[in-house]
Structures are given as C-alpha cells and as structure tokens.
C-alpha cells in the first residue's frame, strides 16, 4: 500500500497547475481591476463566475476530447499524462484566483497608485510596483485557495491523467494522484486496504494543513 508515487504525482501536478494558472490569473485580475472597459467587464466577469460553477466532470470531458488528443498529436504517446492534468487544473483554478485577486487589488487605496505616478513612475510600473505589493496578502490568499482546489480535484484528473500508480518519470507519462487513488479503489476496498485508503485521505488533509500553515507564517513575516 505504498503511496509515495501518488504523493509525488500530487505535488508535481499541483505545482504544474500553479505555474500555468497563477500568472494568467494575476494578469487577468490586473486587467479587470485597472484596465478593462466597462462594456467588456460585465460579460468577462460573468464568464469567469460561470467557470467557477462548471462541474468537474465537464472539465474532465473537455480535457478528454480536446487536451488529450492535442497532446497526443503534438508530443506522441497516449496523451493522458501529467501535462494534460497540469493544463486542465491550471484552467480550473483560474476563477478562484482571479476573483480573490481582483477584489484585493480594488481594495488598495487609490493614493498608492497616484503617489507612484507623482514620483515619476509610469502607469504600468505604478500598478505592478505599488498597487500589487499592497494587495499581496489578498493575492496570496487566492493562490492558496487555488492550490487547495488543484490538490483536491478528483474527477477531472481521473479522466485525463492516465491513472498509472508509479513514480512520475516524465511530464508525458501517466500518473495517479492521492485523490484519484482514493476514488478509484474505495468502492471495492476492504479491511487493511480500506484503512490504507483512509490513511491516504489523512495524508492529503495534512498536505492542505501544511500549505495553510506556510501561508500563515509568510503573512506574519511580512507584517
């Protein structure tokens, strides 16, 4: 019942989703808070909120019919891989991070931006070096929520990650995460097998707890 391959796969997939999703979400939130025209803002905001409400199985189907064949065509292999899971989870965490980050940016007093302009900085530099650092706490909170969404996702990952319980050997190889391992085996598990899956859930809970503790420590150091 060794779960080390699932632990490593969960870390890799979550890290990949963060690398893909966080920059896109950050730039989108800046655009929506500072530069987005009013005519575009409402449809864009509604679309992002709609993304947050789409069921995981729909995202999984989207990945199965679009991402997996595309990766298979471009890079070879089966297409069901860690790369597909990273891209799909990066898309899934966008609404969470964008919503929280935009609110944090809008909460920063306008005097920060105006003061930076008065000191000679251009508008873009004022946003990224005056407004964003002041909203750092709220942005980090959004990132932590996105990490929680990524590491806890199950159905979408089951459909596109390959579900191979082995150590990850490459981004184009299939993997199995902690959550998918529990979902796939709990239905027929008994006795010690069932207890091992429950212990897997405890490990997943500890992961999320560690992430939140690290975020709390970072906030204290910043203060």
């Amino acid at each position: 019942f060794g779960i080390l391959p699932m632990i490593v796969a969960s870390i890799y997939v979550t890290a990949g989703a963060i690398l893909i999703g966080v920059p896109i979400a950050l730039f989108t939130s800046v655009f929506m808070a500072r530069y987005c025209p009013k005519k575009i803002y409402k449809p864009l905001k509604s679309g992002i909120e709609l993304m947050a409400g789409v069921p995981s199985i729909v995202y999984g189907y989207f990945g199965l019919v679009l991402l997996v064949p595309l990766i298979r065509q471009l890079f070879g292999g089966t297409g069901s891989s860690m790369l597909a899971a990273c891209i799909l989870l990066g898309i899934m965490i966008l609404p969470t991070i964008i919503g929280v980050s935009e609110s944090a940016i809008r909460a920063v007093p306008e005097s920060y931006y105006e003061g930076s302009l008065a000191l000679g900085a251009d508008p873009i530099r004022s946003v990224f070096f005056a407004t964003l650092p002041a909203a750092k706490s709220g942005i980090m909170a959004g990132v932590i929520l996105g990490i929680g969404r990524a590491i806890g996702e199950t159905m979408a990952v089951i459909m596109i990650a390959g579900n191979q319980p082995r150590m990850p050997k490459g981004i184009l190889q299939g993997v199995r995460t902690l959550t998918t391992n529990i979902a796939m085996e709990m239905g027929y598990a008994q006795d010690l097998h069932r207890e091992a899956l429950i212990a897997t859930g405890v490990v997943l809970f500890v992961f999320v707890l560690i992430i939140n503790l690290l975020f709390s420590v970072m906030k204290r150091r910043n203060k």
Side-chain angles (χ1 to χ4, degrees), residues 138-151:
I139 294 172
M140 285 299 298
V143 173
I144 294 298
L145 291 174
I147 292 173
R149 172 77 189 272
I151 201 171

Side-chain angles (χ1 to χ4, degrees), residues 63-73 78-81 84 159-160:
L64 191 63
V65 300
L66 184 63
L67 284 179
V68 170
L70 183 61
I71 292 173
R72 186 190 305 128
Q73 181 179 358
T78 63
S80 297
S81 59
M159 297 176 70
I160 65 170

Side-chain angles (χ1 to χ4, degrees), residues 95-125:
T96 302
I97 301 177
I98 291 173
V100 177
S101 298
E102 184 196 352
S103 300
I105 293 171
R106 289 185 179 276
V108 176
E110 190 67 17
S111 58
Y112 283 57
Y113 177 76
E114 294 173 351
S116 179
L117 291 177
L119 291 172
D122 58 74
I124 294 178
R125 190 177 182 86

